[in-house]
Amino acid sequence: MIEVVEYDPTWPVIFDELRRRYAVALAGVPVIAIEHVGSTAVPGLAAKPIIDVDIVVGRDEVDAAV
């Protein structure tokens, strides 16, 4: 069963913490962007309560990021 809940204003706060942790974990890897994506990134939208994150790196940096 898929759970969809009302928008939670803490989702951006949770993402900010995840972005910080990913940035620390990827120190030394040239990261282009760490982005909050998916339905939890849309203010006011009901969503599955899972924070989706895209980490964008250059093609030559994929192995290092993994």
Side-chain angles (χ1 to χ4, degrees):
M1 183 165 103
I2 297 173
E3 177 186 20
V4 175
V5 300
E6 291 299 317
Y7 179 78
D8 184 336
T10 65
W11 289 338
V13 176
I14 294 168
F15 167 71
D16 286 341
E17 176 60 19
L18 290 171
R19 177 177 32 207
R20 186 192 66 74
R21 289 181 183 195
Y22 287 131
V24 168
L26 291 166
V29 177
V31 173
I32 296 169
I34 300 175
E35 302 173 340
H36 188 182
V37 297
S39 53
T40 60
V42 182
L45 184 66
K48 295 178 290 182
I50 298 169
I51 308 298
D52 295 314
V53 178
D54 259 355
I55 300 173
V56 183
V57 298
R59 180 182 306 261
D60 295 338
E61 305 302 331
V62 171
D63 287 341
V66 171

